[in-house]
Amino acid sequence: MAEHNDLGKLGEDLAAAHLEENGYSILERNFVIQKAEIDIIAQKDNVLAIIEVKTRSSLDFGSPQDFVKQKKIQLLIRAVNAYINDREKDSQEDLEIRFDIVAVHKNGESFAIEHLTDAFYHF
């Protein structure tokens, strides 16, 4: 696996652990439908959080969250629509859907994690 792939996987693992430490239940990781992927689908109370994880080895070229572009947002929306439509068959739960970003970047020998809730809107 390429070094940047290893970094991305590590970032997703750190993000999932951070979310669980903060009371989220991880429902899915790397949910893929067609060309769209959701890194993490998590739930806390009545909120279904659709989470894009961005990991960077440094902040030299900007914050990790700056790399979530409009095309990625459109793909996330497509994927979450498929996920919700499939899930509604099995669930009677009425959940609020929220789009978050978990930004992870190397900070010396450790990693800094920032959870941005309501990072963007789907309408």
Side-chain angles (χ1 to χ4, degrees), residues 43-86:
Q43 185 173 342
K44 183 174 183 180
D45 302 322
N46 71 329
V47 174
L48 186 68
I50 308 305
I51 300 165
E52 175 67 10
V53 179
K54 285 296 180 188
T55 308
R56 293 291 178 263
S57 58
S58 78
L59 298 178
D60 292 347
F61 299 103
S63 298
Q65 60 268 28
D66 295 339
F67 292 89
V68 180
K69 304 296 184 192
Q70 189 61 36
K71 175 91 172 147
K72 179 61 180 180
I73 293 170
Q74 291 170 347
L75 289 171
L76 283 170
I77 292 167
R78 184 181 314 156
V80 77
N81 283 337
Y83 179 80
I84 295 300
N85 287 337
D86 187 52

Side-chain angles (χ1 to χ4, degrees), residues 100-116:
D100 295 357
I101 297 172
V102 173
V104 180
H105 70 272
K106 195 154 178 60
N107 188 8
E109 294 300 312
S110 63
F111 286 87
I113 300 171
E114 183 179 6
H115 182 183
L116 300 119

Side-chain angles (χ1 to χ4, degrees), residues 33-48:
I33 183 93
Q34 296 169 358
K35 294 182 180 181
E37 178 185 9
I38 301 172
D39 292 330
I40 299 173
I41 301 173
Q43 185 173 342
K44 183 174 183 180
D45 302 322
N46 71 329
V47 174
L48 186 68

